[in-house]
């Protein structure tokens, strides 16, 4: 059976990729197809799916600054949206009840509100994978979406704890001592090195220290993984740890999407109800946009964040599953919600891929805030006398900045998407500002690029560099452009699309290493 599941997942994922859809859409369809052929989920698939979600939340925590959750637009925005969407969805469901829609007609008010609450969630798994594939996890709209999703996860955990009537054990209070152990955790992370022990460290902390410890005291295991990740987020190796777990997490999440399709047998009644639920999806997106836009974010930021959250959630399935077990919800509703969640992923995938294009079409008639009232991340940018723009101030961008400064003086302006990283660069004396170079409005906010003679595309994701290149070309930039890439086909694509020079980051690192060795050590070789 496992061989059939692997084959079906690979074939469906590959076809989705060729259709310009995320592979997860294929995994979902493979699950439903296998279900229709008589296959069902098993303990192995369920266990691996749970491990995937736990590792996902752990890696989210590794990238999450607690200050993000404490910002008003996150905690207040998530709370307002959850309350409004639950209320409006409940009203819509009450209307269906009055109209006599089967299954819903027999539900009481409490059951309808519970269903509205389940429909109010958006998918953490889908949004994170979508953002990762676009290389925009750290973009302003990406951090907003992730912050709201984490708050929703917290809401779900609170509900699950309260609805079961099972309070955490009294000794759960000991968990408040975890931040005091952070120095010890940091030391362990320093000691494990960079190889397989780093991967094992991540698995141990996510599944044993985080999930296991929280489950032991009667709390949600996934919440423990998230919190342990957040405790490690400030360490210099947090990003490396997240990358080391990436492939393992992705493999387990294949089982998660397969399991959704394998777990429920679609029925005509369930499919009809799912279509009715999907009619509420645009309302959810509009609410997200209105809430975020009320916090003075740009139209583009509000729109792309809303599109990332434009789906139903696996946490909604978890909430509904618990309600079904406790007799609060019928099986038809659970099946309908599972189908609605799956179809919402299929709908949201191409919409998210076309997000920038949708913004360019709709941004003209969506009203923007006055420039002086915009969020501080969205203020106008003056590059001054900078002759070089470096897009992406990671290790490669920073190295290029320092080298150009040593050669020509202060001619560079660095663009870094992460606010905290930009501040660190500024304290070290570099001319770096926060900004999202894949953002069309970013280029519109730049007052004047007449002095800029060279742009370096140094972002870690090929799609991000490709998007920035397209934005430069749309604005008829006349200077030179150089870019980095990981693979030869990416270099070929960049050259075909108009960059003046593209370099493989691995070969350039080796060349630079040899050059520095010869320059500093001056070895006395005999030329042959």
């Amino acid at each position: 059976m496992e061989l059939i599941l692997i084959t079906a997942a690979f074939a469906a994922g590959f076809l989705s990729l060729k259709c310009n859809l995320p592979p997860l859409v294929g995994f979902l369809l493979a699950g439903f197809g296998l279900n229709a052929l008589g296959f069902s989920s098993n303990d192995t698939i369920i266990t691996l799916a749970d491990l995937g979600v736990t590792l996902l939340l752990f890696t989210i925590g590794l990238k999450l600054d607690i200050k993000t959750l404490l910002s008003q637009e996150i905690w207040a925005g998530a709370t307002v949206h959850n309350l409004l969407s639950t209320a409006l969805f409940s009203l819509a469901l009450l209307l269906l009840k009055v109209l006599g829609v089967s299954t819903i007609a027999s539900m009481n008010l409490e059951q309808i509100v519970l269903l509205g609450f389940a429909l109010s969630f958006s998918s953490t798994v889908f949004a994170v994978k979508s953002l990762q594939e676009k290389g925009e996890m750290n973009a302003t709209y990406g951090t907003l979406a992730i912050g709201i999703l984490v708050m929703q996860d917290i809401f779900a955990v609170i509900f699950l704890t309260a609805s079961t009537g099972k309070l955490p054990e009294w000794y759960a209070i000991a968990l408040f001592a975890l931040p005091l152990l952070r120095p010890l955790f940091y030391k362990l992370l320093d000691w494990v090195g960079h190889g397989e022990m780093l991967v094992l460290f991540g698995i141990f902390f996510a599944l044993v220290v985080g999930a296991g410890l929280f489950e032991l005291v009667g709390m949600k295991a996934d919440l423990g993984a998230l919190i342990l990740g957040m405790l490690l987020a400030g360490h210099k190796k947090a990003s490396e740890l997240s990358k080391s777990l990436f492939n393992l997490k992705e493999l387990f999440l294949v089982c998660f999407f397969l399991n959704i399709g394998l777990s429920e047998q679609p029925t005509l009644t369930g499919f009809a109800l799912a279509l009715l639920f999907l009619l509420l999806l645009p309302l959810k997106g509009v609410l997200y946009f209105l809430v975020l836009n009320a916090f003075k974010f740009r139209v583009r930021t509000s729109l792309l964040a809303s599109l990332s959250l434009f789906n139903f959630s696996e946490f909604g399935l978890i909430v509904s599953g618990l309600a079904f077990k406790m007799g609060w919800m019928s099986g038809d509703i659970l099946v309908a919600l599972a189908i609605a969640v799956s179809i919402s992923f299929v709908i949201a995938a191409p919409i998210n891929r076309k997000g920038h294009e949708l913004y360019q079409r709709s941004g003209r008639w969506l009203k923007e805030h006055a420039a002086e009232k915009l969020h501080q991340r969205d203020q106008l940018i003056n590059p001054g006398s900078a002759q070089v723009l470096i897009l992406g101030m990671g290790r490669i961008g920073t190295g290029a900045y320092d080298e150009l400064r040593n050669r020509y003086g202060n001619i560079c302006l660095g663009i870094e998407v992460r606010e905290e990283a930009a501040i660190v660069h500024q304290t070290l004396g570099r001319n770096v500002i926060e900004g999202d170079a894949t953002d069309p409005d970013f280029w519109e906010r730049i007052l004047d690029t007449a002095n800029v003679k060279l742009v370096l595309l140094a972002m870690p994701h090929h799609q991000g560099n490709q998007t920035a290149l397209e934005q430069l070309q749309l604005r008829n930039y006349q200077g030179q452009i150089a870019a980095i890439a990981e693979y030869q086909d990416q270099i070929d694509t960049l050259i075909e699309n108009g960059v003046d020079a593209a370099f493989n980051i691995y070969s350039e690192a080796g060349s630079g290493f040899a050059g520095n060795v010869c320059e500093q050590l001056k070895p006395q070789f005999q030329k042959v």
Side-chain angles (χ1 to χ4, degrees), residues 189-476:
L189 188 49
D190 285 331
W191 290 338
V192 294
H194 303 278
E196 64 275 12
M197 282 302 296
L198 181 64
V199 178
L200 192 57
F201 172 90
I203 295 173
F204 173 75
F205 262 69
L207 304 182
V208 180
V209 181
L213 189 60
F214 272 62
E215 199 166 28
L216 185 65
V217 300
M219 296 184 70
K220 195 77 169 60
D222 292 341
L223 179 63
L226 175 68
I227 289 176
L228 258 293
M230 291 170 64
L231 286 176
L232 296 172
H235 194 279
K236 60 185 179 183
K237 288 172 67 176
S239 177
E240 182 184 352
L241 175 59
S242 177
K243 291 176 182 177
S244 71
L245 294 171
F246 180 82
N247 289 331
L248 190 63
K249 174 198 68 179
E250 294 290 289
L251 182 61
F252 288 160
L253 286 177
V254 172
C255 297
F256 172 84
F257 291 109
L258 276 176
N259 187 56
I260 290 179
L262 287 167
S263 298
E264 301 295 337
Q265 178 65 51
T267 62
L268 288 177
T269 301
F271 190 76
L273 280 173
L275 292 179
L276 290 176
F277 294 161
L278 287 167
L279 294 177
L280 300 175
L281 199 55
L283 178 59
K284 172 186 276 195
V286 170
L287 283 175
Y288 275 125
F289 179 84
L290 293 176
V291 169
L292 291 173
N293 200 243
F295 287 99
K296 308 300 182 184
F297 284 100
R298 286 172 295 140
V299 165
R300 189 251 184 197
T301 300
S302 301
L303 179 62
L304 291 185
S306 300
L307 292 179
S308 297
L309 302 168
F310 187 73
N311 51 66
F312 293 128
S313 171
E314 64 281 352
F315 265 113
L317 285 178
I318 295 171
V319 169
S320 300
L322 176 63
F324 174 72
K325 288 179 182 178
M326 301 188 74
W328 299 343
M329 190 175 291
S330 69
D332 284 341
I333 295 293
L334 183 60
V335 170
L337 192 55
I339 296 172
V341 169
S342 304
I343 297 177
S344 75
F345 288 175
V346 176
I347 294 172
I351 289 177
N352 272 269
R353 292 185 70 91
K354 299 286 187 181
H356 295 285
E357 183 179 331
L358 289 172
Y359 164 70
Q360 289 170 352
R361 292 182 179 180
S362 61
R364 298 168 186 168
W365 51 268
L366 290 172
K367 185 178 179 181
E368 188 64 271
H369 295 290
E372 64 274 9
K373 294 182 178 180
L374 285 172
H375 193 280
Q376 65 179 31
R377 297 180 183 178
D378 295 340
Q379 298 300 311
L380 296 176
I381 299 169
N382 184 3
S385 59
Q387 299 176 56
V388 180
L389 288 183
I390 301 178
L391 310 182
M393 287 296 291
R395 285 176 293 181
I396 294 175
T398 301
Y401 183 103
D402 292 341
E403 179 65 22
L404 289 169
R405 182 171 60 178
N406 291 336
R407 289 174 179 263
Y408 304 106
N410 294 318
I411 64 168
C412 299
L413 173 63
I415 311 298
E416 171 56 50
V417 72
R418 295 167 299 166
E419 180 183 8
E420 65 277 8
I423 292 173
V424 170
H425 284 299
Q426 291 164 9
T427 59
L428 294 174
R430 298 188 183 99
N431 183 24
V432 176
I433 60 172
E434 178 194 357
D436 181 3
T438 65
D439 179 353
D441 281 353
F442 167 81
W443 299 101
E444 293 177 8
R445 290 189 296 126
I446 294 181
L447 296 175
D448 184 16
T449 58
N451 292 327
V452 178
K453 298 180 174 62
L454 172 65
V455 174
L456 302 183
L457 304 178
M459 289 177 283
H461 297 279
H462 173 67
Q463 186 169 344
N465 289 327
Q466 185 68 42
T467 302
L469 175 62
E470 292 170 1
Q471 295 302 322
L472 284 166
Q473 292 172 333
L474 285 173
R475 283 152 184 81
N476 199 29

